Amino acid sequence: MTITVDHTRCMHCGACVGTCPMNALTLDETVVWVNDDCVHCGVCVTTCPVGALDDAEG
Amino acid sequence: MAEVQEWDVIVVGAGPGGSMAAREAAKAGLDVLMIEKRQEIGAPVRCGEGIAKVWLDEVGIAKDPGWISHEVKGARIVAPDGKSVDLTEAQAGNETGYVVHRDRFDRTLAEQAVRAGAKTLLKCAATAVLKDGKGAVVGVRAKHWDTELELRAPLVVAADGYESQVGRWAGIDTKLAPRDINTCLQYELVGIDIDPDFNEFHLGMQAPGGYIWIFNKSDDSANVGIGVNLSMISGRAAVKGYLDKFIARHPNLAKGQNVETVAGAVSVCFPIESTTADGIVLVGDAGRMVDPITGGGVVNAVKSGMVAGKVAKECHDASDFSRAFLQRYEKGWRELCEEQLIRNYVAKEKLITLSDDIFNKVIDALQGYRIERVTTMEILRMVQARYPEVVKELESLL
């Protein structure tokens, strides 16, 4: 499992960043990064108001 | 090699909390650097833009047509069945009065900070905190354009908003449970039919655990937005789905065109245990100071920011930036904000459990009454007269 960011949907709002319990996401002005601390809890996927995050198989 | 700079205070984030901290610290004579990762202060907007009028004078923010978009007389609370009750500004107290241009508002506050002597760097993102051998925060690492900076200061003011990463890097626990998060989306719709005098709040399961707002930006335009409690939704883009459905159900809104989409999230939590560590304080949304009922964060950001700026000067004079000394900040902001945060947290915990039927009955019971001053007791008294069984449901709000 891996968290993917759909950059065509992403609004760069930071909702996922503040929600992530592992502090594993960072918003660098207009790009969201997921780092190795991610535990694939999926809370960012639900948080994203516009569906830019997904927990993809892989 | 990173370029090293020395400052008295580093403020991370140029929203209202950051700018007020920078203003107060600079006014007191400190060398202040405020960094902002975006290329412009105030944009993109992440806010419903409804604020009360009354507190602005107290904090030295002059009312300015430059950032006031529209003025309303009050708030209209709308039940799921469409019945509503109007609250005037004096009754409602919060988040009504002005609908602002938050980008211009934030810019005005940043200008105040600059005129007081603060320096700014835009397109400058904090990437880590610097710590000394004992674990105290002594600055931040940052990236400004393509330059790595080591910004050293005995005090860091973390005003990085909902993301709240700087405090977590420093070891302060700002983690939130899904139940304490509302995730939000908003469109600015132009060419709609609204009552220009009232901002609307739509309750019930059309916005699970939150509400839908219509905050008027002019006579024919408004921010139409939604906040939904994260514990009550699942799947991707659920929030957008709820908002789009609401607009489709309201022809007066559906005829409008969207000129700005705003996304974001707010904390709706009990005040966190600590907003300080050695060498660092958290202000505003970064310190989880958002009102759990309204989702409004500007007022507490401004107030806590001002306390932070003043305490920065006291720290400087005492050469003491320890967490023990910073209890002055902890105590200062809590005296101004905490009582209401706790009261509204308790209310929010109840409100997110109420069914559409209860909301309909409460609003129905208030029909025809002239509400002079909204208190929980008065509302309960009116509801009791009509629906005694509903009051049982609401008892915990007492």
Side-chain angles (χ1 to χ4, degrees):
Chain A
M1 301 286 267
T2 171
I3 299 292
T4 57
V5 183
D6 179 347
H7 293 286
T8 61
R9 293 185 82 94
C10 179
M11 305 263 308
H12 323 119
C13 75
C16 55
V17 177
T19 299
C20 176
M22 302 303 291
N23 208 8
L25 291 140
T26 300
L27 171 64
D28 183 1
E29 194 171 4
T30 58
V31 182
V32 173
W33 303 93
V34 186
N35 73 28
D36 291 343
D37 292 336
C38 175
V39 296
H40 311 289
C41 69
V43 70
C44 58
V45 176
T46 319
T47 297
C48 180
V50 293
L53 293 159
D54 203 359
D55 201 353
E57 300 289 336
Chain B
M1 276 297 284
E3 177 191 325
V4 178
Q5 296 184 12
E6 307 267 352
W7 296 88
D8 291 330
V9 183
I10 301 289
V11 178
V12 180
S19 285
M20 290 296 97
R23 182 186 80 179
E24 295 305 311
K27 216 196 280 175
L30 304 190
D31 286 330
V32 181
L33 176 67
M34 176 163 70
I35 65 171
E36 167 57 52
K37 76 175 166 193
R38 308 278 187 176
Q39 63 199 3
E40 63 185 297
I41 290 169
V45 170
R46 281 185 272 166
C47 184
E49 302 186 304
I51 64 169
K53 292 178 198 169
V54 287
W55 60 285
L56 290 159
D57 289 335
E58 296 166 29
V59 296
I61 302 173
K63 289 160 195 164
D64 177 353
W67 50 257
I68 297 168
S69 180
H70 190 75
E71 202 172 334
V72 294
K73 292 188 179 139
R76 178 164 296 155
I77 313 297
V78 188
D81 66 6
K83 281 195 184 136
S84 65
V85 60
D86 289 349
L87 310 176
T88 63
E89 193 209 349
Q91 297 162 339
N94 276 320
E95 321 310 330
T96 61
Y98 291 133
V99 180
V100 303
H101 299 293
R102 255 303 292 281
D103 47 355
R104 299 182 203 167
F105 180 81
D106 285 20
R107 191 79 65 91
T108 302
L109 269 48
E111 286 167 3
Q112 288 190 357
V114 170
R115 292 195 177 110
K119 304 288 190 280
T120 63
L121 281 182
L122 305 190
K123 234 171 152 53
C124 183
T127 55
V129 295
L130 302 170
K131 290 185 179 177
D132 68 10
K134 292 177 189 151
V137 173
V138 290
V140 297
R141 194 175 293 281
K143 195 166 178 185
H144 178 228
W145 294 90
D146 49 5
T147 306
E148 298 285 344
L149 297 177
E150 209 174 282
L151 302 171
R152 297 184 166 274
L155 184 67
V156 170
V157 175
D160 54 331
Y162 177 74
E163 292 172 28
S164 192
Q165 291 205 287
V166 178
R168 289 194 278 174
W169 292 332
I172 301 172
D173 184 7
T174 68
K175 199 165 65 229
L176 298 164
R179 192 184 172 82
D180 291 334
I181 295 168
N182 273 32
T183 175
C184 308
L185 188 69
Q186 167 181 287
Y187 306 132
E188 183 180 342
L189 298 182
V190 177
I192 56 179
D193 294 330
I194 46 175
D195 180 345
D197 289 337
F198 285 88
N199 283 341
E200 292 186 0
F201 298 74
H202 293 250
L203 309 176
M205 285 308 287
Q206 53 197 344
Y211 64 91
I212 287 164
W213 62 85
I214 302 173
F215 291 172
N216 305 332
K217 291 211 73 165
S218 73
D219 287 353
D220 77 339
S221 66
N223 290 331
V224 181
I226 186 171
V228 177
N229 192 274
L230 189 53
S231 71
M232 297 173 74
I233 51 168
S234 60
R236 291 177 66 204
V239 175
K240 184 170 187 303
Y242 280 108
L243 181 59
D244 290 344
K245 245 181 263 168
F246 176 83
I247 292 169
R249 274 203 310 276
H250 292 80
N252 63 311
L253 302 176
K255 64 190 269 205
Q257 298 301 308
N258 182 18
V259 296
E260 183 175 20
T261 308
V262 176
V266 290
S267 58
V268 289
C269 62
F270 196 84
I272 59 175
E273 215 173 289
S274 170
T275 57
T276 53
D278 292 335
I280 183 170
V281 298
L282 312 187
V283 305
D285 288 19
R288 307 307 191 197
M289 299 174 194
V290 171
D291 185 311
I293 289 287
T294 64
V298 174
V299 180
N300 287 347
V302 165
K303 288 181 177 172
S304 62
M306 287 178 67
V307 175
K310 285 172 182 155
V311 170
K313 166 69 170 159
E314 296 170 21
C315 288
H316 184 81
D317 290 347
S319 293
D320 188 345
F321 303 88
S322 67
R323 184 170 174 224
F325 195 90
L326 289 170
Q327 291 314 298
R328 292 168 184 228
Y329 169 69
E330 202 81 75
K331 193 162 166 277
W333 81 256
R334 287 181 199 272
E335 261 169 23
L336 296 173
C337 313
E338 191 166 55
E339 193 186 327
Q340 183 167 347
L341 286 177
I342 293 173
R343 198 169 53 231
N344 283 1
Y345 173 78
V346 172
K348 162 241 152 185
E349 283 290 288
K350 184 67 207 174
L351 284 170
I352 66 172
T353 68
L354 299 182
S355 65
D356 281 1
D357 182 52
I358 300 275
F359 281 123
N360 288 337
K361 284 176 172 162
V362 171
I363 300 295
D364 183 57
L366 300 177
Q367 300 294 305
Y369 283 88
R370 176 148 175 76
I371 305 173
E372 293 300 340
R373 175 89 204 156
V374 179
T375 64
T376 315
M377 278 309 291
E378 188 174 1
I379 289 175
L380 288 180
R381 221 177 44 242
M382 294 184 202
V383 176
Q384 188 158 33
R386 193 107 163 227
Y387 299 107
E389 78 281 5
V390 170
V391 169
K392 244 194 165 48
E393 192 66 34
L394 299 175
E395 255 165 12
S396 70
L397 290 180
L398 298 170

